[in-house]
Amino acid sequence: MRNRSRITTEGLDRAPHRAFYRAMGLSEDDLAKPLVGIVHFGGDQTPCNQTHGFQVEAARLGIAAAGGVGRAFAAPSVSDGISMNHEGMKFSLVSRELVADTIEATVHGMAYDALLGFGGCDKTLPGVMMGMLRVNVPGVFLYGGSALPGRHRGRDLTALDAYEAVGAVMAGTMDAAEAAAIEHACLPTVGACGGQFTANTMAMVGEAIGLSLPNTSMIPGVYSVRGAVAQDAGKRLLAMLAAGGPLPRDIVTRKALENGAAIVAATGGSTNAALHLPAIANEAGIRFTMEDVAEVFARTPLIGDLRPGGRFTAKDVHDAGGAAVIIGALIRSGHIHGDCLTVTGRTMAEEYAGAEAPDGQVVRDPATPIARDGGVAILRGNLCPDGAVIKVAGLRSLVFEGAARVFENEEACVEAVRARAYEAGQVLVIRNEGPVGGPGMREMLGVTALIYGQGMGEQVALVTDGRFSGATRGMCIGYVAPEAAVGGPLAQLRDGDRVRIDCTARRMDVLVSDAELASRRAAWTPPAPKHRAGLLAKYARLVGQAPGGAVTHEGPAAWP
């Protein structure tokens, strides 16, 4: 297979190009080898990405051993943990697009032959997968790995415990010293947050859709074996390059996307997956919306007893046999398509044929699940005609009805929650936080964790056109579409309106007549843009709605 990079290294008129490579230490032999891009997120933004350093160097060794030259480059990352609950969170979802754009610009601009992509913090995982599909050169996705759980007073902790401790202190059910002890204990190592939050969810998705080496997603980020995995990934890339594939768009088919949705449902994974799977599909030229995700969720049993709805962490999954236990069980039960291709060139069924059986604790057998359908549901109704998302895993009650308390932005709701100026039975509504209205669709873990920490997690509901973190739990409905800023029904909601949420019937409605809603809609005027220049202004002009993945371009991109 003729390497694309030859356009930068062969011929008389490429003498200046070769000079640049020689200045970086490449030899004559190196210039004749395939050039493999290695995208990573090294830096000081978040512990989620700080596992990448040794893995990137190990990947270089694997690439070199197989006859290639690794060329590392960094993409931007915004820490969801540190940007949470302030204006900086507006850049989190935007950064997903920046990651994909960076990969496109670098791989095509440098004419790299293949791509090894590391993911770490939440949006980097779908961003890398989107970029891989956009450039469609031989590619392998690797997760940097989760952090180890913390330990305090005989129980495992994750970062979510620190968020909820804040609310407990405000409620007077925990003293500041105990909250400080949790803060110091909850995140003892680098790596992504340990529960089945967005990073671990999307790591499993990468494996379930076939873009990762089998049974690698749940290895903790600080385990040295990740170096060996990275070397194997580098060698696999060179084999794919020599064979001419399989390419990312050969692997990511509609059935593969259904596999990705199935593993989210089976593990009670992050609601953000309902946004990221359609975005990944867009890059492959496949229409796969939240509605399609919902159909898979509805037919897939919940078998992973994982936080935040359950008891266990990513390390526990690894100790129980890894993601292979879940994928293997779902293949055998018919909930995952075993005939889909993986980066190894073999099918899912072939790769996971020897997977261990579920242990019955961390992972149940699909025949005896925790719940008969997935832990994440898509709601529809007159308040969300294009859909809304809720994580039902761990909920004690699936029906809620109450009076709306409407807030025009996240800060106004947070202020009320901090002051405990709300009541049990209310439906707290945060609007104007969608992809366009935010802009950027902020995550609401700050406010949801406060509510839960105050002991009000299922005594109130929270509804928003913004997003929720994978760590969010309680009666929380997000991604409401269409969003308020483009005239969606949430914009017409008023204080005191009765809102009914029925997760069993998959509905969310405001109990107001159609005539009254139409009258309010006719009187509505769009809000002024919050940003008139800069990245957020550009994003607001380009971004689509949540059901299609909140994407900024029509896929798939073509390249000569």
Side-chain angles (χ1 to χ4, degrees):
M1 182 178 182
R2 182 173 171 82
N3 298 324
R4 298 177 354 140
S5 60
R6 293 293 179 265
I7 200 169
T8 66
T9 59
E10 286 186 351
L12 176 62
D13 61 346
R14 295 307 190 251
H17 304 61
R18 293 190 294 271
F20 276 97
Y21 277 122
R22 293 184 199 284
M24 291 186 279
L26 268 65
S27 68
E28 197 71 35
D29 286 344
D30 291 334
L31 291 172
K33 296 175 182 177
L35 301 181
V36 178
I38 308 172
V39 63
H40 64 96
F41 297 88
D44 298 328
Q45 300 96 320
T46 169
C48 312
N49 304 334
Q50 289 193 321
T51 62
H52 290 184
F54 81 97
Q55 296 185 62
V56 169
E57 294 311 309
R60 287 185 192 271
L61 292 175
I63 291 166
V69 179
R71 312 306 300 155
F73 64 99
S77 174
V78 174
S79 167
D80 283 16
I82 297 172
S83 66
M84 192 70 67
N85 199 20
H86 62 86
E87 288 281 315
M89 176 49 76
K90 291 182 176 182
F91 289 94
S92 171
L93 186 59
V94 179
S95 72
R96 184 191 72 180
E97 312 307 306
L98 292 178
V99 170
D101 292 349
T102 297
I103 289 171
E104 178 186 14
T106 306
V107 170
H108 285 331
M110 303 298 291
Y112 288 149
D113 300 304
L115 177 68
L116 180 56
F118 285 92
C121 193
D122 291 3
K123 306 308 170 296
T124 66
L125 289 90
V128 170
M129 288 184 253
M130 289 163 67
M132 288 176 65
L133 283 156
R134 193 181 302 178
V135 297
N136 203 36
V137 299
V140 174
F141 173 77
L142 278 180
Y143 179 38
S146 71
L148 297 179
R151 192 78 178 163
H152 178 64
R153 296 190 186 277
R155 68 185 183 100
D156 285 347
L157 300 179
T158 70
L160 176 60
D161 293 283
Y163 281 102
E164 293 183 354
V166 175
V169 172
M170 290 179 176
T173 58
M174 181 183 292
D175 61 36
E178 178 67 4
I182 291 172
E183 172 191 337
H184 284 81
C186 69
L187 202 54
T189 73
V190 294
C193 295
Q196 193 67 345
F197 312 148
T198 301
N200 285 319
T201 298
M202 294 309 298
M204 282 196 190
V205 166
E207 191 172 328
I209 63 178
L211 288 176
S212 299
L213 296 182
N215 208 26
T216 58
S217 60
M218 290 296 101
I219 303 170
V222 294
Y223 280 18
S224 299
V225 69
R226 279 206 163 272
V229 169
Q231 287 195 52
D232 288 344
K235 294 172 184 176
R236 174 92 288 269
L237 263 181
L238 269 294
M240 293 164 72
L241 185 62
L247 299 178
R249 292 184 197 172
D250 299 327
I251 295 168
V252 180
T253 61
R254 182 180 181 85
K255 288 168 71 174
L257 292 162
E258 290 179 356
N259 288 349
I263 202 161
V264 177
T267 59
S270 170
T271 54
N272 281 312
L275 189 74
H276 298 322
L277 279 164
I280 291 168
N282 179 65
E283 301 290 351
I286 301 168
R287 179 173 170 76
F288 191 75
T289 68
M290 276 188 179
E291 188 69 28
D292 299 306
V293 174
E295 289 180 9
V296 179
F297 285 174
R299 67 178 186 239
T300 307
L302 174 62
I303 62 172
D305 191 5
L306 307 181
R307 296 187 182 192
R311 296 175 291 166
F312 299 104
T313 66
K315 179 183 179 296
D316 296 315
V317 176
H318 173 68
D319 292 344
V325 170
I326 301 167
I327 294 173
L330 294 174
I331 291 172
R332 291 190 294 272
S333 65
H335 294 98
I336 275 184
H337 304 289
D339 58 346
C340 289
L341 200 59
T342 75
V343 290
T344 66
R346 287 154 51 88
T347 66
M348 296 288 290
E350 290 170 331
E351 287 294 348
Y352 293 91
E356 296 178 35
D359 68 334
Q361 294 294 317
V362 180
V363 182
R364 305 270 191 94
D365 189 281
T368 55
I370 299 166
R372 294 196 322 185
D373 59 12
V376 180
I378 308 295
L379 309 182
R380 287 192 179 272
N382 67 1
L383 201 52
C384 52
D386 291 344
V389 185
I390 181 171
K391 179 180 283 192
V392 295
L395 283 180
R396 290 187 293 272
S397 174
L398 298 180
V399 178
F400 191 99
E401 184 177 322
R405 175 87 181 278
V406 181
F407 300 92
E408 299 301 330
N409 53 52
E410 181 188 9
E411 284 80 4
C413 185
V414 169
E415 184 178 344
V417 171
R418 282 175 175 162
R420 308 205 75 189
Y422 66 101
E423 299 174 4
Q426 288 184 326
V427 178
L428 308 182
V429 178
I430 303 176
R431 64 188 178 196
N432 301 312
E433 292 287 3
V436 176
M441 212 176 186
R442 287 191 284 182
E443 285 187 357
M444 304 293 170
L445 177 60
V447 65
T448 60
L450 286 178
I451 291 169
Y452 216 94
Q454 290 175 358
M456 300 287 280
E458 293 192 35
Q459 296 186 53
V460 296
L462 195 145
V463 176
T464 181
D465 51 10
R467 292 183 297 119
F468 287 126
S469 165
T472 290
R473 55 177 173 163
M475 184 61 73
C476 298
I477 298 93
Y479 316 82
V480 173
E483 63 176 296
V486 300
L490 216 59
Q492 283 83 54
L493 201 63
R494 294 179 181 173
D495 284 341
D497 287 345
R498 299 291 295 180
V499 174
R500 180 172 174 81
I501 301 156
D502 187 339
C503 300
T504 304
R506 301 293 194 256
R507 290 198 63 85
M508 181 170 69
D509 297 279
V510 55
L511 305 182
V512 172
S513 70
D514 292 345
E516 172 63 17
L517 286 176
S519 173
R520 294 181 189 180
R521 193 176 302 114
W524 178 80
T525 56
K530 294 178 183 175
H531 298 268
R532 297 188 178 277
L535 176 59
L536 292 177
K538 179 170 29 176
Y539 180 80
R541 287 195 295 270
L542 294 172
V543 71
Q545 291 294 288
V551 296
T552 56
H553 77 103
E554 293 291 331
W559 188 252

